[in-house]
Amino acid sequence: MLGLVKPYKMELLVKDCTYYKLYYCSVCRHLVRNHSRPYAFINSYEGTLLAMLYNEMVVQDIEAVKDRCSGVPIAKVAALPPEHEAVQLGAAVSLLAFVIKFQDNLEDETGFWLKQYNGWARRRLNRTFRKSKKLYDRFHIDLEYVEKEIAALHRMEQDASVTNLDRFLDQWGNVFAHIMTQAFRDKIAKDRFEALYAFFFELGRLINLLDAMADLHADHSARRFNPILRAEPGLNLTDENCLRDTYNKHFETVHAGRDRMLNRLPDLDLRDAWPIVNNIVTYSLDREARKAHDAMVLRKPVSEKMFFNCKDF
């Protein structure tokens, strides 16, 4: 349910690509500098997006410095200082994204030695997460609320009587919106904050839905929970026409949600970040929808999913 908010690089102007990369590299450098080099692999697109929005809407400090790249140390990249407030927020959200998403992925891994390595990585990162809790308090991200709501989501998944797809989407949408907006509370105008919350609520719903569409066959084979399978228990997974009709129905939900987010964009009153956010809402969601189509209807495996939510932008 995370990792789909990456802008489509080929549809960005060079200046916009450079602007986004500034935050991507800044969050990566912060994670490496404050922890160790392997932490570069938990750098997330969610953290990058949030750092970019927070700097433009709250901090408004774009003074960058040259720093060594975490991946290629002989190269230098433009990055914000590690103590920059927006960078700290982006790193904190990247770490939280690991705790929410990647621990679920760990449970799905098979193989003795792989599970042993994954367990070691999880324990180490969880220790780092516990040490960072003061940072979440600073940005008003209520970890108890997040934990409670995710636990409620898991209970819904285990309760066979809960079959309404929108209930699952709304539950994740609220958690995602809380994580992505609480740092802005009381720091921007109320109308702007409400628009930001509504934007991320809708985005959270859509990435949950797209994730479920792409994982439909894999979840069925592994007997894992999938909200679409729960909502449509009679779905014929061997009938391509049935799968295509189901995809088209859910794509209409994605399309409607995307339109609502685009209508919210003017209320966010963005400047430098506007082309990137617009790119994510349009090109990126369309690309993810096409991948979901290939996985759901054509049964093509989702080959780009990774253990860690990080690929070089």
Side-chain angles (χ1 to χ4, degrees):
M1 294 180 285
L2 294 166
L4 304 186
V5 294
K6 174 187 177 184
Y8 181 41
K9 189 175 181 179
M10 298 304 295
E11 293 292 344
L12 285 176
L13 297 176
V14 173
K15 70 178 183 66
D16 297 324
C17 184
T18 302
Y19 184 72
Y20 179 84
K21 194 172 186 298
L22 168 67
Y23 291 96
Y24 187 86
C25 293
S26 298
V27 173
C28 181
R29 289 300 301 141
H30 179 87
L31 288 165
V32 170
R33 191 182 296 274
N34 285 271
H35 305 294
S36 62
R37 190 167 299 278
Y39 280 78
F41 290 103
I42 69 168
N43 186 14
S44 73
Y45 305 125
E46 292 80 20
T48 301
L49 174 63
L50 194 56
M52 179 179 64
L53 293 178
Y54 190 77
N55 193 31
E56 177 169 321
M57 299 172 76
V58 178
V59 181
Q60 300 178 352
D61 178 6
I62 199 65
E63 293 296 327
V65 297
K66 283 289 186 179
D67 205 345
R68 294 199 178 276
C69 175
S70 299
V72 187
I74 62 173
K76 287 193 173 183
V77 296
L80 297 171
E83 66 277 5
H84 196 288
E85 190 175 5
V87 175
Q88 292 177 344
L89 175 60
V93 168
S94 292
L95 186 58
L96 181 57
F98 168 82
V99 174
I100 294 174
K101 173 63 176 176
F102 304 132
Q103 291 197 105
D104 290 338
N105 286 354
L106 287 171
E107 300 301 327
D108 297 333
E109 299 288 353
T110 59
F112 176 78
W113 292 112
L114 183 58
K115 291 185 73 172
Q116 292 297 314
Y117 174 79
N118 289 344
W120 169 83
R122 175 174 56 184
R123 289 190 296 272
R124 179 172 179 176
L125 285 162
N126 278 341
R127 285 197 298 270
T128 303
F129 175 70
R130 287 193 295 269
K131 293 177 181 177
S132 304
K133 287 195 173 181
K134 289 184 179 179
L135 192 59
Y136 297 104
D137 291 338
R138 174 183 170 189
F139 290 114
H140 310 296
I141 299 175
D142 188 342
L143 295 179
E144 291 185 1
Y145 168 83
V146 173
E147 183 178 0
K148 181 186 72 174
E149 293 303 307
I150 291 178
L153 179 61
H154 290 163
R155 287 194 298 273
M156 290 167 58
E157 293 173 358
Q158 296 167 5
D159 185 353
S161 66
V162 182
T163 59
N164 189 308
L165 179 62
D166 282 325
R167 285 190 61 183
F168 295 105
L169 301 185
D170 289 349
Q171 183 72 11
W172 175 248
N174 278 315
V175 174
F176 188 73
H178 175 86
I179 293 170
M180 300 295 282
T181 62
Q182 291 311 294
F184 298 83
R185 185 177 291 277
D186 299 326
K187 296 179 182 177
I188 59 177
K190 182 180 179 181
D191 291 347
R192 200 180 187 191
F193 177 83
E194 290 175 350
L196 187 69
Y197 191 96
F199 177 89
F200 279 119
F201 171 79
E202 198 66 55
L203 183 57
R205 280 176 46 88
L206 295 192
I207 61 178
N208 192 335
L209 179 58
L210 288 167
D211 188 67
M213 293 164 68
D215 289 344
L216 186 73
H217 294 288
D219 288 341
H220 179 262
S221 298
R223 297 184 178 182
R224 291 192 299 262
F225 169 81
N226 185 293
I228 296 175
L229 293 174
R230 173 69 63 78
E232 303 180 47
L235 180 62
N236 187 349
L237 298 183
T238 62
D239 186 337
E240 184 173 316
N241 290 327
C242 179
L243 289 171
R244 183 173 289 106
D245 290 342
T246 303
Y247 169 83
N248 290 336
K249 178 178 69 174
H250 293 303
F251 179 73
E252 289 179 4
T253 301
V254 175
H255 191 270
R258 183 185 62 182
D259 286 346
R260 285 192 290 270
M261 284 191 288
L262 289 173
N263 290 334
R264 285 288 184 180
L265 270 181
D267 297 330
L268 300 184
D269 192 24
L270 300 175
R271 297 182 298 277
D272 293 331
W274 185 91
I276 300 165
V277 177
N278 184 69
N279 178 288
I280 291 171
V281 175
T282 52
Y283 295 107
S284 293
L285 286 181
D286 279 347
R287 283 169 59 83
E288 294 300 330
R290 286 196 294 271
K291 292 178 187 176
H293 173 272
D294 291 346
M296 184 175 179
V297 180
L298 305 182
R299 300 171 179 270
K300 291 183 178 180
V302 183
S303 58
E304 293 191 10
K305 287 197 172 183
M306 300 179 66
F307 171 80
F308 287 113
N309 179 24
C310 172
K311 286 188 290 186
D312 182 22
F313 175 72

